[in-house]
Amino acid sequence: MTKSSSKNSFARGATHLVSTFETRDFGADAVRIGDLNGDGAPDLLFAQTFTPAKPGTNEILCRTGEIRCLTATTILGEMLWQYGEPSVTNGCNAGDIPVQVYDWDGDGENEVLFIRQAVYAELYPGDPTGFRGRAKRYEGTATLVALDGRTGHEKTAFPTPAPADGSIAFADLTGRGRREDLVLKDCYGEHVYGVSHTGELLWHWHGGPWPDPGHNCPQDPKVSVADKECEAGHYPAVADIDGDGRDEVFIGFALIDHNGRVLFRKDTGGGGRHSDANYIVRLADGAWRLLFGNHGVHCLAADGTELWHNPLVFGEAQHVVAGRFRFDSQLQAAVIDRGFPRTPEGKPAGLFLFDIETGKEIWRRPQLPGGWCAACMNIHWSGAGDLKEILVYKRGVFARGVGSPIAIYDGEGNVVDEIDVPAAILDNEENVTSSPGDYFCCRADLWGDSRDEVIVAGRNGVRIHANRRVLAIPTLYNNTVYHGM
């Protein structure tokens, strides 16, 4: 492990607040980004889910993925359209939700796709009141709905398996030459489905010890696999690893072929059934690496051979992201080891950087006390060369009236920028939740200058930050009428 460099380029206030607006009625801590009005610029889509009140109180629970309202705006806050009814008491999402923005039908314009839930007819005893992440018995099917991105009007819809309402991932499972098929899963990762572009149920993977509640679809899947020792985790990773023109799906500790056949399953060595993170990356020589977080972080070859494993400190690799953050090795993996409240001492989470080829730890950085929701992603913040930085958010205490801050690290482990999250954009006395202080954070190149901006959304407002440092663009500072020179 290397120590932090003495040269730290951190400078508070080096970001520029380029957009801020209120979202009181329609706000949500789940946002999707994509061009919706067809003007070539990215827009924002706010997804509110139903959040019922705790019986006998005014406390709102964050326990459903039932989408009640979708609101499209520009990045400056101009409303484009709204689907459903907004509410100041909705919009708190405890995890992922099934909504995406994508040109799904290939017509050159984006659609908004979401899953409408089936009826949760019977819950499991012991599951929290109001929770709708799994059911012992469902009535009816879930429904995939595609909306016109320009208007919010419904374009098409078809039934999908009842449990498949936790997230949507696009993949090419049928050789269409484009990712137009679907990988759908439930909240817990007990059920994963491969569904074709036309709604055909290709395969079903059932993980964990719970019984299968049934799909409620008229068509049974062509291939069914049950694995009591493994859950799919939070979100699948997809890639055409075998080069046959169709994607494989990496879920939990298993690699699933396009047709539902299990290519391998990694024995986790008693670390539990649940995977917190899955990531697929390709090296310069064409070799694939499959990363997952469980009791530590694991790196596998394409055939499932474990190349290295690091147990970390607390043993919970909540986020695993591969990228090139420094030049002295080909690729690195940034990993969040979740701390408080998973440890009796209440120790903070940690950010680790590993060399992907060797598994060697390059550095580690502790996060702020109380930052049990710390998460990371890669970000092209500097816009110079091939290197990216690491964005870490929800770093500190998570409480009402407190905005847990955001930091951007370079490949040396230095904080190059820090962004405060104001309490004004978070929940307040009108929309009290069981996850106070929660917010959504992502990055995207909103201005087209080759650098990512940071988008922060709470239930009551949005803040978009840009890097205000000068970006040297050769075609501009070496300007001439002889452009071929």
Side-chain angles (χ1 to χ4, degrees):
M1 181 183 71
T2 61
K3 293 183 179 180
S4 177
S5 169
S6 59
K7 182 181 178 181
N8 193 323
S9 56
F10 166 65
R12 178 180 288 274
T15 68
H16 174 54
L17 184 62
V18 293
S19 179
T20 175
F21 58 92
E22 294 183 359
T23 59
R24 179 181 177 276
D25 295 324
F26 60 85
D29 45 32
V31 178
R32 302 293 188 255
I33 300 172
D35 181 12
L36 296 172
N37 60 8
D39 66 356
D43 302 302
L44 305 179
L45 180 77
F46 298 84
Q48 280 193 341
T49 56
F50 176 53
T51 50
K54 187 176 181 179
T57 74
N58 65 352
E59 181 182 354
I60 303 299
L61 298 169
C62 297
R63 292 293 181 182
T64 85
E66 179 188 340
I67 294 173
R68 287 288 183 93
C69 183
L70 297 170
T71 303
T73 76
T74 67
I75 58 177
L76 298 178
E78 177 189 357
M79 187 179 293
L80 301 174
W81 52 260
Q82 199 164 66
Y83 178 94
E85 295 295 327
S87 170
V88 295
T89 61
N90 287 339
C92 178
N93 306 304
D96 204 7
I97 59 173
V99 59
Q100 300 286 12
V101 175
Y102 182 53
D103 180 12
W104 184 54
D105 58 13
D107 67 350
E109 297 189 353
N110 281 328
E111 286 76 47
V112 172
L113 287 86
F114 75 96
I115 297 291
R116 184 181 294 134
Q117 289 188 331
V119 175
Y120 280 57
E122 183 181 356
L123 300 179
Y124 275 95
D127 276 352
T129 302
F131 176 69
R132 288 211 291 271
R134 64 178 179 186
K136 195 172 183 179
R137 181 175 61 85
Y138 296 89
E139 290 179 357
T141 65
T143 305
L144 178 84
V145 181
L147 306 179
D148 186 307
R150 286 180 178 265
T151 65
H153 296 158
E154 188 171 316
K155 293 181 69 172
T156 188
F158 58 73
T160 57
D165 60 10
S167 67
I168 301 172
F170 298 104
D172 187 355
L173 303 176
T174 57
R176 295 174 64 89
R178 188 171 176 269
R179 288 179 173 165
E180 297 176 348
D181 303 314
L182 306 162
V183 178
L184 307 177
K185 63 177 286 294
D186 65 352
C187 173
Y188 267 119
E190 297 164 6
H191 299 277
V192 185
Y193 300 88
V195 179
S196 77
H197 184 80
T198 57
E200 183 182 18
L201 188 50
L202 303 174
W203 50 265
H204 171 221
W205 185 89
H206 174 212
W210 302 272
D212 186 349
H215 323 293
N216 292 9
C217 282
Q219 174 213 344
D220 288 327
K222 295 180 178 180
V223 175
S224 295
V225 175
D227 186 348
K228 292 184 178 181
E229 301 303 319
C230 178
E231 293 174 356
H234 294 303
Y235 198 75
V238 300
D240 180 13
I241 293 175
D242 59 12
D244 67 351
R246 291 166 292 189
D247 285 324
E248 284 68 55
V249 181
F250 187 34
I251 54 176
F253 323 123
L255 184 64
I256 311 298
D257 206 354
H258 65 275
N259 58 12
R261 182 172 64 93
V262 177
L263 297 174
F264 71 76
R265 179 186 173 283
K266 168 62 184 170
D267 184 354
T268 62
R273 290 186 299 266
H274 185 74
S275 170
D276 280 314
N278 289 78
Y279 203 99
I280 300 175
V281 67
R282 197 173 194 180
L283 304 182
D285 63 2
W288 293 93
R289 294 293 181 262
L290 289 76
L291 300 159
F292 72 83
N294 176 247
H295 60 301
V297 58
H298 302 253
C299 180
L300 312 179
D303 62 359
T305 301
E306 183 164 280
L307 303 176
W308 54 266
H309 165 227
N310 192 300
L312 304 177
V313 176
F314 306 123
E316 187 176 1
Q318 184 70 19
H319 291 258
V320 179
V321 176
R324 195 169 194 209
F325 307 111
R326 49 194 291 145
F327 287 119
D328 57 359
S329 63
Q330 183 182 161
L331 283 172
Q332 301 86 40
V335 178
I336 286 289
D337 186 16
R338 178 181 275 185
F340 176 86
R342 308 290 180 163
T343 60
E345 302 83 3
K347 293 182 178 179
L351 172 65
F352 289 73
L353 192 70
F354 298 100
D355 174 46
I356 279 188
E357 293 181 272
T358 65
K360 178 183 176 182
E361 180 184 321
I362 300 172
W363 49 255
R364 68 177 72 178
R365 298 290 182 267
Q367 300 304 294
L368 303 177
W372 73 278
C373 278
C376 70
M377 65 181 74
N378 57 27
I379 178 171
H380 209 174
W381 184 245
S382 66
D386 298 324
L387 294 186
K388 292 188 176 182
E389 291 80 22
I390 304 164
L391 173 69
V392 183
Y393 58 103
K394 301 181 183 179
R395 301 176 62 225
V397 65
F398 222 45
R400 186 161 295 110
V402 177
S404 180
I406 298 165
I408 299 174
Y409 288 83
D410 64 17
E412 299 296 327
N414 299 316
V415 175
V416 296
D417 271 312
E418 189 169 60
I419 299 171
D420 292 327
V421 179
I425 74 170
L426 306 176
D427 62 332
N428 57 34
E429 66 278 359
E430 288 187 323
N431 45 27
V432 177
T433 75
S434 59
S435 295
D438 201 2
Y439 65 87
F440 175 88
C441 182
C442 68
R443 77 283 187 256
D445 182 5
L446 300 179
W447 315 130
D449 66 349
S450 82
R451 297 193 292 194
D452 289 332
E453 283 69 49
V454 177
I455 301 97
V456 186
R459 297 176 74 203
N460 290 299
V462 170
R463 301 289 187 272
I464 300 177
H465 295 263
N467 187 346
R468 74 177 187 186
R469 297 174 181 85
V470 172
L471 176 63
I473 304 174
T475 56
L476 297 184
Y477 69 71
N478 276 336
N479 211 336
T480 176
V481 295
Y482 299 101
H483 297 291
M485 301 295 288

